[in-house]
Amino acid sequence: MILFPAIDLKDGQCVRLKLGDMDQATVFNDDPAAQAKSFEDQGFEYLHVVDLNGAFAGQSVNGAAVEAILKTVKFPVQLGGGIRNLGHIEAWLDKGLSRVILGTVAVRDPALVKEAAQKWPGQVAVGIDARQGMVAVEGWAETSELSVIELARRFEGAGVAAIIYTDIDRDGVLAGINWDATLELARATSIPVIASGGLASMDDIERMTHPDYQALEGAISGRALYDGRIDSREALAKLRAA
C-alpha cells in the first residue's frame, strides 16, 4: 500500500484546492522542489504531482516547477494535468518522470491512451475524476456522461499501470475518501486503483491497513499532510507493517 504525498501546482506554487475550484486555492509552499525534497526526506517512496493550470490549458504550464522537482529528488514521480498527446508523454518520460497520468484524453481519445500504454509499459496511468459518479474532464470544469466504472472498463487489458480515482466532492475538504465508490471501482477492474480526494486523518490510514482495502495500490494525501492531520512517519510505519 503506497501513500502518495501530493503536490498540486498553480502559478508555480504548491497549493491545495477546495472541491477542485481554482479560486479556492491555499498556498502551502512557493518552492515545490523544496516541498518534494521534504516529502522524500520524510520517507515517502513515490510522489504525485498535478499541473492544475495545465489541466485547464491542455498543455504543460508549470513545466519549470516539475523539472525542478525531478532534478531535486530521487524517488519516482507521477504527473497529471494537461498531458494530451504522445509527444507530451514522451517528452515528460524523457525528462525523468516515472509515470504520466492521462485524464481528459482518456475520455476524449481512449485509443491514444491504449497506444501509449503499449508503447511505454508501466508508465501510463489513467486519472478518473468524478462528480456524483460521473467522469469530469478539462480540469474538472466539465462533467461527461460516462460513469467511472464504464470508463475504467474501456482500458481493461490495455496495459494501463494504474487508475487514480478522485471523488471531486471530497477533494480538499478533509471529508474522508469515498471508500465505498473507490472499492467498488477496484473490484470492477483488474487495473490497480489509487484512491484520491479527501484523505483526512490517521483513522483513514488505519482503515487502509484492513484486509478489505488491500485491493487498492495506495492512496494520495494532500491537505491532511500539509496541516499535520496525518503524521507522515506514523502513517508510513502503519502501512508498511500491515
Side-chain angles (χ1 to χ4, degrees), residues 79-111:
L79 172 69
I83 302 172
R84 304 282 168 85
N85 60 52
L86 294 175
H88 288 165
I89 296 167
E90 185 169 29
W92 276 120
L93 294 178
D94 284 349
K95 287 175 180 175
L97 270 187
S98 294
R99 191 152 70 184
V100 296
I101 304 165
L102 306 179
T104 294
V105 74
V107 175
R108 306 280 196 236
D109 190 356

Side-chain angles (χ1 to χ4, degrees), residues 4 7 46-50 70 76-80 97-101 125 162 164 194 217 220:
F4 297 79
I7 289 181
Y46 215 121
L47 179 65
H48 175 79
V49 180
V50 178
L70 292 173
V77 178
Q78 63 182 23
L79 172 69
L97 270 187
S98 294
R99 191 152 70 184
V100 296
I101 304 165
I164 292 94
I194 299 167
E217 179 178 277
I220 293 166

Side-chain angles (χ1 to χ4, degrees), residues 105-129:
V105 74
V107 175
R108 306 280 196 236
D109 190 356
L112 184 147
V113 177
K114 293 174 183 178
E115 182 181 351
Q118 293 298 313
K119 189 170 184 178
W120 296 286
Q123 294 187 285
V124 175
V126 169
I128 300 182
D129 306 326

Side-chain angles (χ1 to χ4, degrees), residues 106-107 126-136 143-156 163-168 178 180-189 191 193-194:
V107 175
V126 169
I128 300 182
D129 306 326
R131 195 176 270 118
Q132 297 181 341
M134 305 307 286
V135 178
T143 303
S144 74
E145 295 183 359
L146 270 177
S147 74
V148 170
I149 290 175
E150 187 180 356
L151 180 58
R153 284 180 171 158
R154 286 186 175 182
F155 301 106
E156 196 71 42
I163 290 172
I164 292 94
Y165 172 62
T166 304
D167 183 333
I168 297 168
N178 186 338
D180 290 344
T182 304
L183 289 175
E184 182 184 9
L185 174 60
R187 293 178 185 124
T189 178
I191 304 168
V193 172
I194 299 167

